[in-house]
Amino acid sequence: MSVLDCGAMTADLTWLLLQPGRSIKPRQQKESPAEWVDVPTHCVLVETPDGTLLWDTSCPADWEERWGPTGLNDFFPYDKVSDDEYLDKRLEQLGIGTDQIDYVVLSHLHFDHCGNANLFKDSPAKLVCSDKEKEFAFGFDGPFTGAHLKSDYENLNWETVSGDTEFLPGVTLLQTPGHTPGTMSMQVDLPDTGTMIFTSDAVYMGASYGPPPVPAAIVNNLESWFSSVEKIRDVAQKTNATVVFGHDADQIHELKTVSNGGHYT
């Protein structure tokens, strides 16, 4: 298994963490500037006897133009990325072509996770998301709502999963809604490393995880979000898992990634 670190967006921390005393300031600090932070993005390549899976597709190289109509380019600029950190370059560095990937599984269909899904339009890869995510992502009027941008995914063929699913040997997709109606996390059981859980945006960062959990500005359903965080915590405790958060600027540097030549077995 390889973690493909794909550079970082930057954003006001409040989008990620609604924490009094830090992102939410008391009156004594009301003149303090907003805290902007790195928002790293990553994908995961998992090779199993039954197929090769890519988890998420990160942000597109043409983000400024693509996101322009939504205004998200001003709130989440993908401005800390080098040419060799884009997804297609990361796959090249691993010697993996799009025709060698059997499944592209999207944790959800937001612009920073589904941004390169079209790379696989003419490949043999099956594109997969949860049934609840597909229903929402195709069910609204107009070209976008929030961080769902139809041009990222509407011209692709999607297969769906429902409920927690052992998708491939050692790879289980966990339904963890709240951030979006159909957000999923991925549990990978590795022979040597043990279990790792990739939360995607079900949990943005370590400070979100707690306990107690700290929500974010972008949450579709807060009650579902809290339930999903505790579901992840329960699975992690039962499996002694390493939990990898969706956008943790400190944790990404602690992982074995393509940029440092590491992988997990």
Side-chain angles (χ1 to χ4, degrees), residues 197-208:
I197 299 173
F198 294 87
T199 70
S200 183
D201 290 358
V203 186
Y204 274 137
M205 51 206 296
S208 312

Side-chain angles (χ1 to χ4, degrees), residues 93-139:
Q93 290 158 28
L94 291 172
I96 300 290
T98 55
D99 60 341
Q100 295 173 273
I101 295 174
D102 300 296
Y103 305 97
V104 179
V105 180
L106 278 297
S107 63
H108 61 299
L109 300 181
H110 272 175
F111 68 101
D112 57 324
H113 295 261
C114 192
N116 289 298
N118 277 286
L119 286 176
F120 301 91
K121 184 175 183 178
D122 298 318
S123 82
K126 294 180 180 179
L127 280 80
V128 181
C129 66
S130 80
D131 55 349
K132 298 291 194 302
E133 187 70 8
K134 182 180 179 182
E135 180 182 10
F136 178 85
F138 284 87

